[in-house]
Structure formats: C-alpha cells, structure tokens
C-alpha cells in the first residue's frame, strides 16, 4: 500500500468517526419518564390537617390525612383520611377513607369525594345507638352535613344490620334514606 492509500484510509476513517459523533449529538433527544418524579406546581403535605370554617369563621370540621397533594387541575387528593366534625356543630360523626378528593379552589359548593373502604361512625347515631356505615364511595358536603352514594352500603345500628344500594344521610338531622335493594337483619 502506498503512502497515498494510507492517507486516504485515514481520511475515510476520520470522516466516518466525525459523522458518527455528529449523528449522536444531533439525533433525537431521549424521552424522559415524567411519572411521579416531577413537581406539578401545586403543593404536597405529610401529616396534613385542613380546617373547614363556617361563614362566621367558626370551625366546622377538620380533615386529617397522612399525605395530601394538589394536582395540576387544582384538585387536592388526600391519602388515609379522617374527617371529624367540631364539637360545636353537634354532629357526632367521624368519617374515614383510603382517599379523599376536593375539587379545585373557587368551587361554589365544596364537596369531598371519599373512596376506598369508607367508614362513617357515630356513637350517638340513629336510635341513640352506635351506628356504622360502610361503602366504597361517598360524596360528602361537609358544610351542609350531607353524605350521599349510589354504591352499595352496609349499615349497623347496634345489633341490627342493613344493606342497600344507594343512601342519603342528613347528618345534622340524624336521618338516613336508603335508595334501593334494602335488606336487613334485626335481632330483638
């Protein structure tokens, strides 16, 4: 091989290496996985305590949660939730759920959507006996003391038990309305 052939081979190798380098640098950018590791511009809290106030500035209820996060649509999602009414409201109910969601700020009527093992308990419930309501989904309007679901509910009032599909509970009036498929067991 002549000197001219060696120089030609080196030139071809340099051109190949340069084009490979440029292709790598100018190629498509790598896709980044943005699931769960980015901040959406909202907030998050651990051991959250949110207070719901009445029109006159008095405490109506509190939401306690292990974790709360404001999502992109301004909704707030809570994990492992407990809702207590203030003793001043005379509403003896405590509600627990796996998750709760509050719609974005500025809604006319604040509604808390409870889901996953929802449990509402009152020591002064219906007929003056301990009352427990269980359902997978419940829409709570904490300021009007109203809870409603179209899902299956299980209700225990003392030793009596009922199941139904759908329920409306007016907590302030201590009144419960079952919607359909009601069946129960009453022990004297």
């Amino acid at each position: 091989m002549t000197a001219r052939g060696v120089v030609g081979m080196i030139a071809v190798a340099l051109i190949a290496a340069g084009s490979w380098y440029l292709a790598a640098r100018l190629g498509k950018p790598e896709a980044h996985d943005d699931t769960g590791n980015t901040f959406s511009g909202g907030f998050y809290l651990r051991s959250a305590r949110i207070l719901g106030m009445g029109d006159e500035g008095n405490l109506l209820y509190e939401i306690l949660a292990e974790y709360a996060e404001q999502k992109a649509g301004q909704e707030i999602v809570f994990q492992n939730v407990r809702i207590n009414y203030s003793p001043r409201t005379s509403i003896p109910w405590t509600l627990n759920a796996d998750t709760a969601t509050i719609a974005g700020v500025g809604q006319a009527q604040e509604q808390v959507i409870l889901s996953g093992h929802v449990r509402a308990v009152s020591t002064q419930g219906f007929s003056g006996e301990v009352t427990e309501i269980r359902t997978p989904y419940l829409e709570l309007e904490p300021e009007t003391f109203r809870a409603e679901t179209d899902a299956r509910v299980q209700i225990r009032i003392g030793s009596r038990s009922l199941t139904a599909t759908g329920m409306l509970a007016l907590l302030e009036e201590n009144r419960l309305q079952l919607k359909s498929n009601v069946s129960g067991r009453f022990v004297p």
Side-chain angles (χ1 to χ4, degrees), residues 148-163:
E148 187 170 11
T149 186
D150 289 329
R152 181 172 170 79
V153 292
Q154 297 173 329
I155 303 161
R156 285 194 178 272
I157 303 171
S159 62
R160 297 167 288 181
S161 65
L162 296 167
T163 60

Side-chain angles (χ1 to χ4, degrees), residues 97-120:
D98 293 341
T99 62
T101 304
I102 297 177
V105 180
Q107 298 288 333
Q109 176 64 47
E110 187 172 280
Q111 187 178 56
V112 180
I113 306 297
L114 300 166
S115 59
H117 300 99
V118 179
R119 183 174 174 249

